[in-house]
Amino acid sequence: MTNAISADFGLIGRVSVKGGKESFSGGVQWHHSGGGDEILLLSPLGQTLAQIQRTPEGVYLTTSEHKRYYATDVESLTEQALGWRLPLMGLQYWVQSLNAPTTASAIDLDMDGSVAAIRQDGWEIDYSGHAPVALTQTGQSGTTYPRLLVLRRNGLQIKLIIDNWNPGDR
């Protein structure tokens, strides 16, 4: 269950973070491509609270107060700016029910053969429910995406509910 390169995608959902220096609850919009990522963290009312952009040159985070942060990796940048670590390099695979190909992992499958959990890089990712991707989006039937992911590591919990999945986005 590995994938050499994570596929392009877009998703819209909700996220809650507990256990870091700061907690967060709100919406998320994420566009991922091989060249980078753009993630918007939204308030419960839909206002942009932070924009994260990953490019080949590094990672930038801009807050709603127009403060701009830069780092070479997302985890240290989000810890500095938001008070919690976002594991983006693994998450780009985990939201697709895949393990990242660069480090060791363990995968648990449920009785239907769907991914139930992944343990990788100190993170435990639990999956609850999968939703079908519309046939027009993938061109193949039977394709699903995870509906709910719960990531845990060192007292930090990130819960991601995916409301809309767009494979091949961008």
Side-chain angles (χ1 to χ4, degrees), residues 48-49 61-69:
T48 300
L49 299 175
L61 186 145
T62 306
T63 68
S64 57
E65 294 89 28
H66 303 289
K67 291 183 184 174
R68 191 163 167 92
Y69 299 85

Side-chain angles (χ1 to χ4, degrees), residues 75-137:
E75 287 199 17
S76 59
L77 177 71
T78 54
E79 185 168 42
Q80 173 193 0
L82 303 175
W84 47 274
R85 297 174 76 82
L86 177 67
L88 185 64
M89 298 317 288
L91 191 59
Q92 65 184 306
Y93 296 94
W94 301 335
V95 297
Q96 299 178 74
S97 299
L98 301 169
N99 58 315
T102 54
T103 59
S105 65
I107 299 173
D108 298 335
L109 301 178
D110 63 18
M111 291 175 57
D112 296 329
S114 297
V115 174
I118 295 176
R119 289 173 301 287
Q120 188 168 30
D121 299 329
W123 288 93
E124 181 172 334
I125 304 94
D126 292 314
Y127 296 83
S128 296
H130 288 74
V133 175
L135 180 61
T136 56
Q137 292 177 320

Side-chain angles (χ1 to χ4, degrees), residues 15-63:
V15 65
S16 70
V17 179
K18 296 178 184 171
K21 293 176 196 157
E22 302 289 331
S23 62
F24 172 78
S25 182
V28 63
Q29 295 179 6
W30 180 6
H31 298 281
H32 169 78
S33 70
D37 293 280
E38 180 179 18
I39 300 171
L40 299 178
L41 296 177
L42 309 169
S43 75
L45 297 176
Q47 293 92 356
T48 300
L49 299 175
Q51 177 184 32
I52 301 168
Q53 293 178 293
R54 183 184 62 85
T55 67
E57 292 78 41
V59 186
Y60 300 89
L61 186 145
T62 306
T63 68

